[in-house]
Amino acid sequence: MPRVRAHNFSVSLDGFGTGQGLSLDAPFGHAGMRLHEWFFPTETFQARAVGRERMDVDPSTAPDDAFASQQGRGIGVEIMGAGKYGPPGWQDDPDWRGWWGEEPPFHTPVIVLTHRPRDPLPVGETTFHFLDAPPIEALAAARDLAGGRDIHIGGGPTMLRDFLAEGLVDHAHIAVVPILLGRGVRLWDGLEALEARYDIASVTTPSGTTHLTLDRKVA
Amino acid sequence: MPRVRAHNFSVSLDGFGTGQGLSLDAPFGHAGMRLHEWFFPTETFQARAVGRERMDVDPSTAPDDAFASQQGRGIGVEIMGAGKYGPPGWQDDPDWRGWWGEEPPFHTPVIVLTHRPRDPLPVGETTFHFLDAPPIEALAAARDLAGGRDIHIGGGPTMLRDFLAEGLVDHAHIAVVPILLGRGVRLWDGLEALEARYDIASVTTPSGTTHLTLDRKVA
């Protein structure tokens, strides 16, 4: 049975998974890239961004990479919210092809949840499928595309929260970054007593990040 | 110069420092004692609750105690909010003497911030002083009572947040407990970009607690 996993989802200390004022020029709003700065120096990101032959990895990032690297293992499909696929209003732009250029980093099918679906869009090795469906139906569609591999829940915060609230996520890795955004979209809202359904563990790393893992308890 | 310190202030993963529905029977509302369970097995609490001769301390609690024990060092006065001193409405009860019985654990003067001050109240080695004043004035009054020692900011979440927002706290220890309360009073609201003014460090312990320390940056 494929597992449903979320990886490398960053939130601020006050629980915001993205900032306020999202736009084409500011994909994370006033948060900028601050939620993801722990990720950029890791081997996983460096190999993607500059290529292995030019990588210059600080060994102190290894504990962060132990988490970062898991996202690449055994994923056959990603489900993402509309807010991750483009800036507010992308649905009005028939030429919008996602943030990621002509070779998106997914290399698998991606399901984009949106109330205004459009035709499937192949970009490089990634094909975006657009679906207007609640979480449980989105998962069924994802299984059909996953080729027996696992399903990655890509965020943003609203859709990850929805999938967690319905108990549909098997494993989630949340990186808590020691900044206070003050405003934006909260991950943790409406998840009271999640600890009754998930084992929650924490590890801090030299970057100052606290990595939380949530593993669904075996019934 | 006396330092202003907060210790052993617990919040849930979603940032609530107390629950909803506070009452005489439920001092922390629906949170119960869950925010403080990491604290009870520590040597610091055990010595207070059962006495040193009957202590039975699990060595795995030592990392938590490294934080818990700091509250006892060099404090000459505590400032607390009205919500910590008693249940909602205690101001209408002239006989209310605090939650802590006839030997409160403070053993110093305590300033209780309230819009309805009353006469000072000695209980055991602790004297409660009642003051209607903004944070900066409360600190001046506290210094007069501290005998040159440090000032403890006792909470609850609203008053600690107010003192942090005004940059009046030198050191704060916040224990993040891996539970999701979902509702209650948030600590982190209105503290955007606190990291610009404080060095924030994190340590996780075997109890699953993440201990945050906030140290005001030297200007």
Side-chain angles (χ1 to χ4, degrees), chain B residues 142-193:
Chain B
R143 273 191 206 99
D144 289 342
L145 293 168
R149 307 182 86 190
D150 285 352
I151 297 164
H152 187 244
I153 303 298
T158 308
M159 75 82 78
L160 176 53
R161 182 207 300 153
D162 289 346
F163 279 72
L164 283 169
E166 296 196 24
L168 298 174
V169 180
D170 294 297
H171 171 89
H173 160 233
I174 314 288
V176 182
V177 177
I179 63 173
L180 285 137
L181 287 177
R183 53 207 162 97
V185 183
R186 293 184 197 275
L187 172 62
W188 299 119
D189 276 5
L191 297 178
E192 179 176 342

Side-chain angles (χ1 to χ4, degrees), chain A residues 13-14 30 34 178-183 186 188-195 200 202-204 208 210 212, chain B residues 13-14 30 34 178-183 186 188-195 200 202-204 208 210 212:
Chain A
L13 208 47
D14 46 353
H30 83 293
R34 290 180 292 158
I179 64 174
L180 285 138
L181 287 177
R183 52 209 162 97
R186 292 184 197 275
W188 299 120
D189 277 5
L191 297 179
E192 180 176 342
L194 194 67
E195 71 277 6
I200 303 178
S202 312
V203 174
T204 47
T210 300
L212 300 174
Chain B
L13 207 48
D14 46 354
H30 83 294
R34 290 179 292 158
I179 63 173
L180 285 137
L181 287 177
R183 53 207 162 97
R186 293 184 197 275
W188 299 119
D189 276 5
L191 297 178
E192 179 176 342
L194 194 66
E195 70 278 6
I200 303 178
S202 312
V203 174
T204 47
T210 300
L212 300 174

Side-chain angles (χ1 to χ4, degrees), chain A residues 167-182:
Chain A
L168 298 174
V169 180
D170 294 298
H171 172 87
H173 160 233
I174 314 288
V176 183
V177 176
I179 64 174
L180 285 138
L181 287 177

Side-chain angles (χ1 to χ4, degrees), chain A residues 53-113:
Chain A
E53 68 287 351
R54 293 196 294 122
M55 265 192 334
D56 181 16
V57 173
D58 180 340
S60 77
T61 65
D64 287 327
D65 196 60
F67 292 93
S69 61
Q70 300 308 309
Q71 185 174 341
R73 297 172 193 266
I75 295 292
V77 64
E78 166 155 335
I79 308 175
M80 67 171 65
K84 179 171 174 178
Y85 181 66
W90 65 262
Q91 293 90 341
D92 295 321
D93 177 0
D95 297 325
W96 180 256
R97 295 165 65 79
W99 297 101
W100 302 277
E102 290 308 305
E103 194 48 82
F106 307 101
H107 310 288
T108 67
V110 171
I111 292 176
V112 179
L113 297 175

Side-chain angles (χ1 to χ4, degrees), chain B residues 17-52:
Chain B
T18 194
Q20 203 173 56
L22 311 189
S23 71
L24 185 60
D25 295 327
F28 298 96
H30 83 294
M33 301 311 271
R34 290 179 292 158
L35 288 175
H36 310 99
E37 274 167 11
W38 69 271
F39 182 62
F40 300 140
T42 61
E43 181 170 339
T44 294
F45 183 83
Q46 289 291 308
R48 180 200 302 172
V50 307
R52 294 209 167 267

